[in-house]
Amino acid sequence: MMQVLNLFLFVAEAIVYFTIMAAFLHFRRQLGLGVFLAALGVMHFMETYLAAVFYVELPFGLVSPGSSVFFAGKLMMILLLYLKEDASTVRQPIYGLFLGNLLTVLIAQILQAHPVVTLPAGRPADMVFLNEMGSLMVWGTALLYIDAIAIILLYERFGRIFRRHIILRFAVSGAIVLSFDQLAFYSGLRLLFDAPLSVLFGGWYAKMLAVIIYSVLLLAYLRVEQIPRLALSRREIADIFHDLTFRERYQALLATSGVDRLTGVFDRNRLEADAPAMIKQSIDMRQQLSLVIIDADRFKDVNDLFGHMKGDEVLKDVATQLKARTRPRDHLSRFGGEEFVLILPNTNHEGALALSERLRQDICASVIRPDGKCITVSIGVATTSDDGDTFATLFGVADQRLYHAKKDGRDNVHGRQGRLVSPTGVDV
């Protein structure tokens, strides 16, 4: 009876951990990624402590929730963070945890030099345990560093075999890496705490169960993300902290390569480098991605009538309007001349058409020539997978639709059904 209760609690702990951490990650644009990373760090200390002193009996052996539930969950969260962000972001928690644990060991050595007193309840300070905990935390974090790299590499490698089965790739990668981790971490427990052999096998069974639970929860998470009312807003929380963060990122962006000097958006080289990976990730995540080509109409007339300096100002104004009305995860670039390319992850064809129409209207209302006429744009839209699964194919389809928009009188949006029209049937 006790084993059944422990198994039920084991599953409940995994569900609670995944649900809360996934929520932090899902709302990272509003809350900031620091909330997710701080929670990950706090749980790292707890899992290491539990792995040293807290064990329960399950039907398949002695198990520590710290190692089986929380460490396995942390590794899965790191892989999920990689899927949602990139490798440079994933490195931050790994380095932070490792350096934090080294600091713990250093402080533990200094603390042992204190002459300590017995607490009122008669319980002495356990400095030996603190020292051992520091060593175990460093060993666990070193393994985490190896595990995190390995699970990402395996996930990418299995992508060649299970291209459209993200949950299977997630589960197989986790099972392999956690099997290695269990053997390596047990060696540390054996050396420091003389852990019995049943901990090795019980922990392995528990981690495999945790992989199954987290894989099922990931499937549910990906399904929930597709619910429109739970999707992230296009507009961020407009507070002073966001404004400061945006300025810092903008300055850092301008200092990097791959940025068009005139408009401040990405250039063609950056587009051609980033777009294939973005498309592949969207396909792997079973999400639609849209590619939008925006071309300023009769831009040569602006240069001829008012000079190239004024033409440059107009291009910068167009880029400003585009940047102001897109999400942080969208990819905006200047392809060449007066042509811009906007990549919209997790956006279906109808959503891309609606955004394109808003952009067309906003640019006409906001960007004005010296003679008082507005600048208009023609737009072509293509979306995976109906219009193609590669950057070259999507760009070709969107470019062809842009050509039709130009032939159709300019100042309009063309998609899969031709020229975009309003629900009343009148051209918008």
Side-chain angles (χ1 to χ4, degrees), residues 261-279:
R261 292 184 178 274
L262 176 64
T263 61
V265 302
F266 292 128
D267 61 15
R268 178 172 177 172
N269 290 334
R270 185 65 176 269
L271 170 69
E272 293 176 344
D274 292 348
M278 294 180 69
I279 294 170

Side-chain angles (χ1 to χ4, degrees), residues 294 318 321-322 359-367 375 377:
I294 304 123
V318 171
Q321 294 302 317
L322 293 174
L359 292 175
R360 184 191 70 81
Q361 295 177 2
D362 291 341
I363 290 173
C364 184
S366 305
V367 184
I375 294 294
V377 294

Side-chain angles (χ1 to χ4, degrees), residues 30-47:
Q30 287 92 340
L31 300 174
L33 191 58
V35 175
F36 172 82
L37 297 180
L40 204 64
V42 172
M43 292 304 300
H44 178 75
F45 177 83
M46 181 177 181
E47 76 195 29

Side-chain angles (χ1 to χ4, degrees), residues 2-302:
M2 180 184 66
Q3 294 180 353
V4 175
L5 175 60
N6 284 335
L7 183 60
F8 173 80
L9 293 173
F10 179 94
V11 175
E13 290 159 1
I15 293 174
V16 171
Y17 177 85
F18 185 95
T19 302
I20 295 177
M21 293 299 295
F24 288 154
L25 185 59
H26 182 71
F27 292 105
R28 65 195 180 282
R29 301 301 183 196
Q30 287 92 340
L31 300 174
L33 191 58
V35 175
F36 172 82
L37 297 180
L40 204 64
V42 172
M43 292 304 300
H44 178 75
F45 177 83
M46 181 177 181
E47 76 195 29
T48 307
Y49 174 78
L50 292 177
V53 301
F54 188 88
Y55 282 79
V56 298
E57 188 175 359
L58 295 182
F60 38 76
L62 293 177
V63 172
S64 170
S67 177
S68 303
V69 176
F70 301 127
F71 182 84
K74 178 176 63 183
L75 194 59
M76 293 305 195
M77 280 296 141
I78 287 176
L79 179 56
L80 184 57
L81 177 62
Y82 170 74
L83 297 180
K84 305 296 288 185
E85 293 289 336
D86 51 36
S88 62
T89 303
V90 171
R91 285 198 296 266
Q92 298 177 32
I94 299 173
Y95 292 158
L97 291 170
F98 185 74
L99 294 175
N101 288 339
L102 289 180
L103 179 61
T104 299
V105 174
L106 176 61
I107 295 298
Q109 296 302 316
I110 298 174
L111 288 173
Q112 291 184 70
H114 278 290
V116 297
V117 297
T118 302
L119 297 176
R123 180 179 178 183
D126 192 350
M127 303 307 296
V128 175
F129 175 74
L130 181 61
N131 189 35
E132 291 175 341
M133 272 292 296
S135 301
L136 188 63
M137 289 174 72
V138 171
W139 177 233
T141 308
L143 287 176
L144 173 64
Y145 183 82
I146 298 172
D147 293 344
I149 294 175
I151 198 169
I152 291 171
L153 291 177
L154 283 173
Y155 178 85
E156 293 294 341
R157 176 72 63 171
F158 286 130
R160 303 175 185 177
I161 305 173
F162 313 118
R163 182 180 178 186
R164 296 183 178 275
H165 298 85
I166 182 173
I167 304 300
L168 183 59
R169 290 164 60 186
F170 188 85
V172 174
S173 302
I176 294 175
V177 172
L178 285 171
S179 295
F180 159 78
D181 176 83
Q182 176 63 15
L183 182 61
F185 192 72
Y186 171 77
S187 66
L189 290 175
R190 181 76 177 181
L191 179 64
L192 293 173
F193 302 103
D194 196 28
L197 198 61
S198 59
V199 172
L200 170 64
F201 295 106
W204 182 81
Y205 288 126
K207 286 182 177 179
M208 294 305 101
L209 175 59
V211 168
I212 295 173
I213 296 172
Y214 287 131
S215 298
V216 173
L217 292 172
L218 175 63
L219 177 61
Y221 171 72
L222 295 179
R223 292 286 185 267
V224 168
E225 275 202 324
Q226 304 306 312
I227 301 176
R229 59 188 174 86
L230 294 180
L232 297 182
S233 171
R234 290 182 178 273
R235 302 189 66 85
E236 301 298 319
I237 299 175
D239 58 18
I240 184 64
F241 299 106
H242 171 75
D243 293 339
L244 289 172
T245 302
F246 178 82
R247 282 200 295 272
E248 291 170 358
R249 290 179 178 176
Y250 181 70
Q251 293 300 324
L253 179 65
L254 292 180
T256 63
S257 61
V259 174
D260 179 62
R261 292 184 178 274
L262 176 64
T263 61
V265 302
F266 292 128
D267 61 15
R268 178 172 177 172
N269 290 334
R270 185 65 176 269
L271 170 69
E272 293 176 344
D274 292 348
M278 294 180 69
I279 294 170
K280 179 180 181 298
Q281 183 180 30
S282 291
I283 293 173
D284 290 345
M285 296 287 290
R286 295 185 179 180
Q287 297 175 346
Q288 288 186 295
L289 173 145
S290 294
L291 186 148
V292 178
I293 303 179
I294 304 123
D295 189 87
D297 296 327
R298 297 187 175 91
F299 184 74
K300 185 176 181 300
D301 293 347
V302 177

Side-chain angles (χ1 to χ4, degrees), residues 413-425:
V413 178
H414 266 249
R416 197 172 292 148
Q417 303 300 324
R419 180 167 181 161
L420 181 63
V421 296
S422 68
T424 59

Side-chain angles (χ1 to χ4, degrees), residues 393-423:
T393 304
L394 282 177
F395 185 90
V397 173
D399 192 49
Q400 186 66 24
R401 289 170 182 166
L402 172 64
Y403 170 79
H404 288 307
K406 292 286 189 182
K407 293 281 288 183
D408 203 12
R410 298 181 175 86
D411 191 21
N412 65 80
V413 178
H414 266 249
R416 197 172 292 148
Q417 303 300 324
R419 180 167 181 161
L420 181 63
V421 296
S422 68

